[in-house]
Amino acid sequence: MKQTFNMELFFQALADQTRLRLLNLMGDKEICVCYFVEILDQLQPKISRHLAYLRRAGIVEPRRDGKWMHYRILMPQHAGAAIILQQTLASLKDERVMQSDTKKLLKACCSPAKFNGLQGAPIPLTAACCERG
Amino acid sequence: MKQTFNMELFFQALADQTRLRLLNLMGDKEICVCYFVEILDQLQPKISRHLAYLRRAGIVEPRRDGKWMHYRILMPQHAGAAIILQQTLASLKDERVMQSDTKKLLKACCSPAKFNGLQGAPIPLTAACCERG
DNA sequence: CAAATATAGTCGTCTTAGCAAATATGTATG
DNA sequence: CATACATATTTGCTAAGACGACTATATTTG
């Protein structure tokens, strides 16, 4: 089907804790880079670099919105890869770190102003949380 | 569920072409190391190393049989990982290299004597191929 | 210009290939 | 039964390459 799909590269992209945390946070919604930085509590260039790896592997897609960049998961054309990615996302939800991240994201969406790095940051479009304070 | 399961390590183990080829050859049967060496046409220590990586990740299990070591895939306890591994194996079958390897393995099972490195090598137990020549 | 994000450069660390040596088993020999 | 040797496989070791962290700098947009 896909001539250019590379299983090895695909797994390489998934074989990193930081990238798994990013994917878990995205889930099925679009997230702004600034949220990743805030929630993972890691330096911005590091987040950016890992997002670049995911981009290169074709797993995520960026969208520019003014100053902000939003990322969302791009389900692979390759049927097998799509199943693997979905199963991975499902499995991640069982892990403590991932649950903690998800909870933190919800909080941040509710009141971005309370987080240093999120002054005036855009609220994730599909976030099912309370309105901005 | 499993405290010791590590998704990152699991994907790292899968993120290598040589290891994917080994897994594809094993499929659901037990294979002797000497077949891997012959079919991948790579140096034996290299094969051994990659088998060690797979062992460390708990993906394969060795069995000694006299001089020969046989390896087989060990389905992970972790339900998600098992699904991912099964889907991976299924997807590999669509790739040319993997199909070629599988075909070569079948040939080697039919007449091991014709391969330099397989003089007197054991035939994979569950190999559904013709008798040894 | 300021803010958000991406990229480049440098460094330390991890992974891998390749070779040599070690280990484990089997067989032959005394 | 002990020894020596052959075969199959694993494991140290070292150099090369890839990767991640960190800092500084560049790019894009308001």
Side-chain angles (χ1 to χ4, degrees):
Chain A
M1 302 278 165
K2 286 287 279 11
Q3 313 86 321
T4 56
F5 179 75
N6 183 333
M7 185 81 62
E8 187 182 1
L9 206 72
F10 179 67
F11 283 128
Q12 266 174 19
L14 298 180
D16 181 278
Q17 181 71 1
T18 301
R19 293 194 284 272
L20 289 175
R21 289 176 75 186
L22 293 175
L23 290 172
N24 175 66
L25 281 176
M26 281 181 253
D28 54 359
K29 43 186 180 302
E30 208 184 47
I31 304 279
C32 176
V33 174
C34 58
Y35 281 86
F36 294 135
V37 174
E38 186 67 25
I39 289 165
L40 298 199
D41 192 24
Q42 299 192 348
L43 295 172
Q44 181 273 325
K46 175 175 169 180
I47 299 293
S48 186
R49 175 178 260 274
H50 284 290
L51 285 169
Y53 281 122
L54 290 172
R55 246 186 296 137
R56 188 189 58 168
I59 297 181
V60 303
E61 196 181 45
R63 179 180 67 86
R64 181 174 279 284
D65 172 34
K67 288 192 291 189
W68 292 281
M69 286 295 267
H70 301 260
Y71 280 84
R72 69 180 184 85
I73 292 178
L74 189 65
M75 268 302 148
Q77 297 289 312
H78 188 285
I83 291 175
I84 290 171
L85 183 51
Q86 279 160 356
Q87 182 58 55
T88 300
L89 291 170
S91 294
L92 288 179
K93 288 179 185 163
D94 296 334
E95 299 187 7
R96 293 213 191 92
V97 180
M98 302 298 171
Q99 291 167 355
S100 165
D101 284 350
T102 303
K103 202 180 286 184
K104 211 164 164 184
L105 174 61
L106 193 61
K107 269 193 211 164
C109 291
C110 288
S111 49
K114 289 182 184 170
F115 291 77
N116 286 333
L118 295 178
Q119 314 293 357
I123 297 182
L125 295 178
T126 61
C129 70
C130 51
E131 297 303 304
R132 192 203 299 224
Chain B
M1 303 281 160
K2 287 287 280 11
Q3 310 87 320
T4 55
F5 179 75
N6 185 330
M7 184 82 62
E8 187 182 2
L9 207 72
F10 179 69
F11 282 128
Q12 265 174 18
L14 298 180
D16 182 277
Q17 180 72 0
T18 301
R19 293 194 284 272
L20 289 174
R21 288 176 74 186
L22 293 175
L23 289 173
N24 175 65
L25 281 177
M26 282 180 252
D28 54 358
K29 43 186 180 302
E30 207 184 47
I31 303 283
C32 177
V33 174
C34 58
Y35 282 86
F36 294 135
V37 174
E38 187 67 25
I39 289 164
L40 298 199
D41 191 25
Q42 299 192 346
L43 296 173
Q44 186 274 324
K46 175 177 169 179
I47 299 292
S48 185
R49 284 251 177 236
H50 283 291
L51 285 170
Y53 287 126
L54 290 172
R55 248 187 294 134
R56 187 187 60 169
I59 297 180
V60 303
E61 195 180 44
R63 180 180 66 87
R64 180 175 281 283
D65 173 33
K67 288 191 290 190
W68 293 281
M69 286 296 268
H70 302 261
Y71 280 84
R72 69 180 184 86
I73 292 178
L74 189 65
M75 269 301 149
Q77 296 290 314
H78 187 286
I83 292 175
I84 290 171
L85 183 50
Q86 280 162 353
Q87 182 58 53
T88 301
L89 291 170
S91 294
L92 289 178
K93 288 178 184 163
D94 296 334
E95 298 186 8
R96 295 216 190 89
V97 180
M98 303 297 171
Q99 291 168 355
S100 165
D101 283 351
T102 303
K103 201 179 284 183
K104 213 164 164 186
L105 174 61
L106 192 62
K107 268 193 210 164
C109 291
C110 288
S111 49
K114 288 181 184 168
F115 292 77
N116 285 333
L118 295 179
Q119 315 291 357
I123 297 182
L125 295 177
T126 60
C129 71
C130 52
E131 297 303 304
R132 196 204 297 226

